Amino acid sequence: MKRIKELELLNQIREIREFDFGIFYFFKKGIIISEMNKGILFRWEDGSKVVTAAENIYGLEIPIIYIANRINNYLCSTVKLAKVFQNRHKMAFYGVVGQTTGSRASLLLERFFFKNFIIQFKDLDDAVLWTVEKSHLKTYPLSH
């Protein structure tokens, strides 16, 4: 699978935040792409750090378009995931890049908690094109 560093959009990155659980790339127009570390357990505390970083970088008015580039296998607590979605009420779109069994299972659970729009991609380039298209919309279907 392709990594963010292999994209031609590197000049569009506003900021990169490295956490002990993964790397988050904050692009212009509220686009965030993550690459989680192999074998981690993504917890509410981790999600909270990302939400705080997004709010510091974009403020509270810019809706988030999030792509999880699942280059590694990792675990995520479903109950904790729901809290992340509920507390980042301005997440407009959510995409997942990955083909692993764990990725497909996680996607099914995430669709249950994220009521707006979630889509799966096989290729990072397709996911990036989708996010750029969505970032040009005048209004986003925001969650509550």
Side-chain angles (χ1 to χ4, degrees):
M1 280 184 58
K2 189 180 273 190
R3 294 180 173 271
I4 302 300
K5 293 178 181 178
E6 298 172 43
L7 294 176
E8 294 181 22
L9 294 173
L10 289 178
N11 63 341
Q12 298 295 313
I13 295 175
R14 283 182 64 175
E15 196 167 323
I16 299 172
R17 296 274 178 107
E18 291 189 44
F19 300 98
D20 57 343
F21 50 87
I23 301 174
F24 287 74
Y25 300 86
F26 295 85
F27 291 82
K28 297 175 183 176
K29 298 188 178 185
I31 298 170
I32 302 171
I33 303 178
S34 69
E35 292 180 344
M36 299 293 197
N37 294 335
K38 184 176 181 177
I40 63 107
L41 172 61
F42 188 72
R43 304 163 301 164
W44 160 244
E45 296 80 13
D46 302 328
S48 181
K49 290 176 186 177
V50 177
V51 168
T52 300
E55 290 172 351
N56 289 337
I57 294 167
Y58 300 121
L60 297 174
E61 300 304 315
I62 295 177
I64 299 301
I65 303 170
Y66 177 69
I67 295 288
N69 189 28
R70 295 192 171 151
I71 56 173
N72 295 312
N73 288 324
Y74 61 93
L75 300 173
C76 186
S77 171
T78 315
V79 174
K80 304 297 184 189
L81 183 65
K83 283 186 180 181
V84 172
F85 288 143
Q86 290 166 355
N87 285 284
R88 181 56 195 178
H89 62 280
K90 297 237 185 220
M91 187 182 303
F93 296 100
Y94 181 22
V96 174
V97 181
Q99 289 295 306
T100 66
T101 303
S103 178
R104 285 190 292 275
S106 292
L107 184 66
L108 290 174
L109 291 171
E110 289 160 346
R111 281 190 174 138
F112 179 75
F113 292 111
F114 187 66
K115 302 295 183 191
N116 282 353
F117 190 74
I118 186 169
I119 188 168
Q120 184 175 21
F121 299 94
K122 294 179 183 177
D123 181 77
L124 182 58
D125 290 320
D126 291 341
V128 169
L129 288 174
W130 175 78
T131 58
V132 169
E133 175 187 306
K134 296 301 180 194
S135 73
H136 291 2
L137 294 176
K138 297 206 187 300
T139 59
Y140 296 131
L142 298 178
S143 58
H144 353 291

